[in-house]
Amino acid sequence: MRLWPAIKLKLRSKLLLVSLVLLLLPWLGVRYIQAMEDLLQQQQAQSMATIAKASAILIAQYSAPLIERIALLERKMRVDKIVVSTLAAAIVIDGYKNEWSDLQGLMQTFPATNQLSYGHKIDPQDVTARYLWAKQQRSLMMMLDVADDSIVLRDPRSPNRHGGDAVVLAVVDNKQRVRRYLLTASALGQINAFEYLGSYLDPVVIGRQSAIKAAWQLSSYGYRLELILPESMVGSSIAIAIIDVDENETEPQVIGIGDVRDSALFADVLLPSTQLSNVLAEMATEGVRIWLIDGERNTLASAGQGEVLIAEPSLNTLADLFYNLFLETAVSDDESLQYQQAVFMGNAVQTALTGKAATERRQLRGSEQTVIVAAQAIMIDGINMGVIVAEKNTNTIMGLQNQAVKTLLNTSLWVMAIAIIVLIGFASRLSFRIRRLNRDVSAVVSGEGRVSGVLKQRAEYDELGELRQGFEQLFERLGLYTDYLEALSSRLTHELRTPVAVIRTSLEHLEQSPDNSQVYIDRARAGSERLNNIIARMSEASRLEQTVNKVALEVFNLTALLKGIAPVYQDLHPQVLFEFNLAEEAIEIKGCQELIVQMLDKLIANAVDFHFAETAIVISLEKPHKLNTAILTVKNSGSPLPEGREQQLFQPMVSIREATTQSPVAHLGLGLYIVKLIVQQHKGHVIAHNWQQGVEFRIELPII
């Protein structure tokens, strides 16, 4: 199974790919910062809820305007009510609707009833109108959008102020006096308002009211009227009438809000309270906007300003573009009336209208910006008098988040750059050492496959150093094995040449001297037996290797076994002195007793052949303390082993005996090889080494 793609990658490329895992660090950091942002927003929501609750307690101490508003909402005799909104942006009175474009959804429609003929509905194709009242500072403004199929302007040459399409505004001032104003246009642009008495169809003009500013402009479907007047001129009620005069009609048509002819039918004006706005201003900290709304979601008071941000410089550098992938952009607060109405229709306000406090997070349209809205009911004597709505954006939190993300990205980029440089350097170093090891290995092995040198030693202590040491040991063993193979043929030739030469010379002498035939026949027979003995020993080694691998193992007492066969060796070699140092305790191993005896036969036979006369051969068996191993040693005093030949002795066909042609027994170097096979079958280990006066064979066997 491939862990890497099929493409061939160098070590440096692989480490570079692995280093991409470091990209998880900034990602995890960003995730952590986002979690912290959520916690900060929760804290801000709690803060906004506290502001809303404190504002509600403060407003409850000024309950008069609230009671008055509830009384206005509960009056049944006047069905029309004019809601005055609060504007933050300045409005230019020019008759154009540019500044009002965002407020189109808040405009109200005039009833289609003809006030000159009650019960008669006016055809919408003739005249319809929409209006919106707003308050800015201490002035009231109105946008009137009229759809009229036939626009008739007043004759500028006529001394009368009527005679064409007109708008009538009637107000009840703070002294409860009714004042009516007529607005007509003889030309487009700025127009004047004239106070009149009597009927608007035949008014008696008293004079021009300079406090009222108005502008009249045509539209694709009719005309628009925009006016402004001081708040002090308006009391608690207003009426508006639109007089539609058509050239083909003898009687004008009139639609209106309230009835300008009867002050009892004027529409109630729901004005924002300046007093309550001043109270809320004490709670509106920087960036916090607070509204007080009634049960029908009309604004009674407001305070605070949204945050207006200066446009940030455009992204000019690659770093700016990179940061922009991760950073969120703060935006200015939406101060439009449409946004206010959207907030008032939200879940938090809906819950507060039922008497329960609530908070919510809102997403600004077309932006990732989040605002926190808290709503708190104003309860007086168990009655819900209104709702405090507090709102604040999360630009501060976003700024902290962006700064943290930017710091994280900068740190991560530096760390990644350093890590990549270090990894590339480390990979280059590894590649250099691997290539150097490859060159050193290639230099040791010749083209013919012979080990022709020694691998260079270097001070390396890591895994590559261990690999180099492994190669050194491998080449050392390969060199020894190569020497063994090269010597094998010469040794076999030497061992086989002697009996073959004996047979050949015996036959030659037999041909030349038939009289002494029996002597030569006996000598040829002896050579033949020697040759047969060599072949038998080689076959014995091969059979023994197969037998060792198939033998069944059992648990037995090694101490008792050695004590039982010790006298046998003394009987077999009466001229040799044996010394047995066997443990008193029972040492049990899992193995084959016959193989252990055969192994000991080979070792003792080897010790007998090489020991000095009148010196003892020492056989020891012990169990070291805290070790789960039995140690069997056979030690003799005699000639030491040649330097560097300790492990080579256990290879087949390796012998250090000084063989002669007169030797009655051929030594092929198979005895110690058989010892190694038996020890390996018992999962043990055998070594040979020199001691001060001779040679010692040490065998370690695992015990049960």
Side-chain angles (χ1 to χ4, degrees):
M1 179 178 178
R2 289 182 177 270
L3 297 179
W4 289 96
I7 56 176
K8 297 180 180 179
L9 297 177
K10 299 293 184 181
L11 183 60
R12 278 177 289 188
S13 301
K14 291 181 179 180
L15 283 178
L16 184 60
L17 288 178
V18 171
S19 66
L20 295 180
V21 177
L22 294 174
L23 292 175
L24 290 176
L25 295 178
W27 180 80
L28 291 175
V30 170
R31 295 290 295 176
Y32 174 76
I33 292 174
Q34 290 175 347
M36 293 301 298
E37 177 192 17
D38 185 69
L39 291 177
L40 291 175
Q41 288 185 3
Q42 292 180 16
Q43 292 181 355
Q44 180 170 320
Q46 295 176 359
S47 175
M48 297 305 299
T50 302
I51 292 176
K53 184 176 181 179
S55 300
I57 295 174
L58 191 60
I59 289 294
Q61 300 177 8
Y62 302 87
S63 59
L66 288 173
I67 297 174
E68 181 181 351
R69 172 59 65 90
I70 291 178
L72 285 175
L73 294 176
E74 291 179 349
R75 289 171 63 177
K76 302 298 183 183
M77 59 180 302
R78 290 177 176 168
V79 295
D80 292 334
K81 291 179 175 57
I82 295 177
V83 179
V84 180
S85 303
T86 301
L87 286 180
I91 297 292
V92 178
I93 304 301
D94 54 7
Y96 296 102
K97 65 175 183 179
N98 297 337
E99 297 92 343
W100 303 83
S101 59
D102 293 336
L103 309 176
Q104 296 296 315
L106 302 179
M107 299 187 73
Q108 303 296 316
T109 303
F110 277 67
T113 302
N114 188 353
Q115 293 187 349
L116 296 180
S117 177
Y118 283 104
H120 177 69
K121 297 289 184 179
I122 297 178
D123 187 355
Q125 298 294 329
D126 293 337
V127 61
T128 58
R130 296 187 305 158
Y131 72 96
L132 176 65
W133 281 90
K135 177 183 177 181
Q136 188 177 61
Q137 297 180 352
R138 296 187 179 277
S139 300
L140 296 181
M141 292 171 289
M142 182 185 70
M143 163 58 75
L144 191 62
D145 195 5
V146 181
D148 189 354
D149 61 345
S150 176
I151 301 173
V152 178
L153 298 179
R154 177 175 55 84
D155 187 356
R157 295 169 296 180
S158 172
N160 297 324
R161 294 298 173 181
H162 63 283
D165 292 336
V167 175
V168 178
L169 173 64
V171 300
V172 176
D173 61 16
N174 293 326
K175 297 181 179 180
Q176 300 302 312
R177 294 176 299 185
V178 178
R179 297 184 181 276
R180 297 177 177 86
Y181 304 97
L182 181 65
L183 295 97
T184 59
S186 59
L188 304 180
Q190 300 292 328
I191 63 173
N192 295 318
F194 292 89
E195 186 177 359
Y196 74 93
L197 297 175
S199 171
Y200 51 66
L201 296 179
D202 188 15
V204 177
V205 176
I206 299 176
R208 185 174 68 89
Q209 177 54 264
S210 59
I212 299 178
K213 307 295 183 183
W216 185 302
Q217 295 290 346
L218 294 179
S219 66
S220 59
Y221 46 81
Y223 62 90
R224 282 186 295 270
L225 176 68
E226 193 175 14
L227 66 83
I228 183 172
L229 71 160
E231 181 183 1
S232 59
M233 292 181 60
V234 180
S236 60
S237 57
I238 294 178
I240 308 171
I242 297 177
I243 303 173
D244 179 33
V245 176
D246 292 339
E247 295 179 352
N248 299 328
E249 300 289 341
T250 56
E251 292 291 334
Q253 300 182 97
V254 179
I255 58 176
I257 301 297
D259 194 331
V260 298
R261 297 170 298 181
D262 186 356
S263 60
L265 299 178
F266 282 12
D268 291 331
V269 179
L270 303 181
L271 282 170
S273 171
T274 303
Q275 178 188 10
L276 296 182
S277 295
N278 293 334
V279 173
L280 291 179
E282 299 178 5
M283 302 299 299
T285 58
E286 183 179 0
V288 176
R289 292 188 289 180
I290 304 176
W291 295 279
L292 169 60
I293 62 175
D294 57 31
E296 295 184 2
R297 295 183 173 88
N298 300 315
T299 303
L300 183 57
S302 63
Q305 292 184 348
E307 187 176 3
V308 179
L309 302 178
I310 301 175
E312 296 183 355
S314 58
L315 305 177
N316 298 321
T317 65
L318 292 177
D320 294 334
L321 294 174
F322 175 74
Y323 289 137
N324 193 51
L325 296 176
F326 301 94
L327 304 182
E328 298 181 4
T329 304
V331 297
S332 299
D333 286 329
D334 188 350
E335 298 193 0
S336 67
L337 291 179
Q338 284 184 327
Y339 173 75
Q340 292 182 19
Q341 292 299 316
V343 172
F344 298 161
M345 296 301 295
N347 295 330
V349 174
Q350 181 66 33
T351 302
L353 288 174
T354 64
K356 299 178 181 178
T359 59
E360 69 171 328
R361 303 181 192 183
R362 298 184 61 86
Q363 202 82 17
L364 291 181
R365 182 178 59 185
S367 171
E368 297 180 354
Q369 177 72 24
T370 300
V371 295
I372 308 298
V373 177
Q376 175 70 47
I378 303 174
M379 306 299 294
I380 301 178
D381 297 331
I383 301 175
N384 191 348
M385 306 296 289
V387 173
I388 292 290
V389 182
E391 180 245 38
K392 189 178 189 304
N393 62 38
T394 56
N395 284 344
T396 302
I397 297 176
M398 183 180 295
L400 293 175
Q401 178 191 7
N402 288 344
Q403 185 62 36
V405 170
K406 197 170 183 178
T407 303
L408 173 66
L409 291 176
N410 289 335
T411 304
S412 300
L413 288 176
W414 277 107
V415 170
M416 288 184 61
I418 294 173
I420 290 175
I421 292 174
V422 171
L423 285 175
I424 291 177
F426 179 67
S428 300
R429 174 63 178 169
L430 284 180
S431 299
F432 167 74
R433 291 176 60 191
I434 292 173
R435 288 195 299 269
R436 184 175 64 183
L437 178 60
N438 184 40
R439 289 195 302 267
D440 292 346
V441 170
S442 300
V444 171
V445 181
S446 65
E448 294 79 14
R450 294 175 58 87
V451 178
S452 57
V454 179
L455 190 65
K456 293 182 180 179
Q457 294 185 354
R458 301 184 186 275
E460 298 175 345
Y461 305 101
D462 54 5
E463 287 78 1
L464 281 179
E466 294 177 356
L467 180 61
R468 177 177 289 273
Q469 294 176 4
F471 274 122
E472 290 177 3
Q473 297 175 3
L474 175 63
F475 288 138
E476 181 181 357
R477 293 175 183 175
L478 284 177
L480 293 176
Y481 191 70
T482 302
D483 294 341
Y484 156 72
L485 293 178
E486 291 175 349
L488 178 62
S489 60
S490 62
R491 184 163 187 80
L492 285 175
T493 302
H494 172 73
E495 293 293 341
L496 295 176
R497 182 183 293 116
T498 300
V500 170
V502 171
I503 295 173
R504 185 176 64 252
T505 56
S506 298
L507 293 176
E508 289 175 353
H509 285 89
L510 183 61
E511 291 177 353
Q512 296 174 3
S513 303
D515 296 337
N516 298 325
S517 60
Q518 188 60 41
V519 176
Y520 299 123
I521 291 173
D522 293 339
R523 188 179 298 174
R525 183 178 294 111
S528 174
E529 290 176 357
R530 182 183 178 91
L531 184 61
N532 183 66
N533 187 34
I534 293 174
I535 297 174
R537 285 177 176 271
M538 295 179 63
S539 300
E540 177 187 1
S542 177
R543 289 194 302 271
L544 181 61
E545 183 175 357
Q546 297 177 4
T547 302
V548 167
N549 293 330
K550 296 179 181 180
V551 71
L553 304 180
E554 60 181 3
V555 178
F556 65 91
N557 189 340
L558 179 60
T559 305
L561 175 65
L562 295 184
K563 288 182 178 180
I565 64 174
V568 176
Y569 292 114
Q570 190 66 66
D571 294 340
L572 290 176
H573 307 282
Q575 75 282 5
V576 180
L577 177 62
F578 290 93
E579 181 180 337
F580 290 91
N581 299 324
L582 305 179
E584 296 296 332
E585 60 180 318
I587 300 177
E588 293 186 342
I589 67 170
K590 186 176 182 180
C592 178
Q593 298 187 48
E594 290 78 8
L595 292 180
I596 294 297
V597 172
Q598 188 174 2
M599 174 193 72
L600 196 59
D601 290 343
K602 301 295 183 183
L603 291 175
I604 291 179
N606 190 76
V608 169
D609 290 344
F610 286 96
H611 87 293
F612 290 150
E614 299 180 357
T615 60
I617 297 175
V618 182
I619 296 95
S620 302
L621 176 64
E622 61 179 346
K623 177 184 177 299
H625 184 60
K626 295 183 179 180
L627 290 180
N628 202 28
T629 303
I631 299 178
L632 174 63
T633 60
V634 177
K635 183 164 58 174
N636 68 276
S637 299
S639 301
L641 297 175
E643 189 69 26
R645 298 288 298 274
E646 292 87 349
Q647 294 302 318
Q648 192 178 1
L649 290 174
F650 297 99
Q651 298 295 331
M653 305 300 291
V654 174
S655 177
I656 60 174
R657 299 175 186 270
E658 295 294 337
T660 63
T661 56
Q662 290 81 15
S663 176
V665 180
H667 296 282
L668 301 179
L670 297 174
L672 294 180
Y673 172 66
I674 294 173
V675 170
K676 185 182 75 169
L677 290 178
I678 296 174
V679 172
Q680 289 178 346
Q681 180 65 20
H682 288 77
K683 297 180 174 56
H685 182 64
V686 59
I687 59 174
H689 62 87
N690 295 321
W691 65 293
Q692 294 178 355
Q693 300 177 9
V695 178
E696 178 184 70
F697 287 85
R698 177 187 176 94
I699 299 171
E700 298 179 2
L701 298 173
I703 65 176
I704 302 300

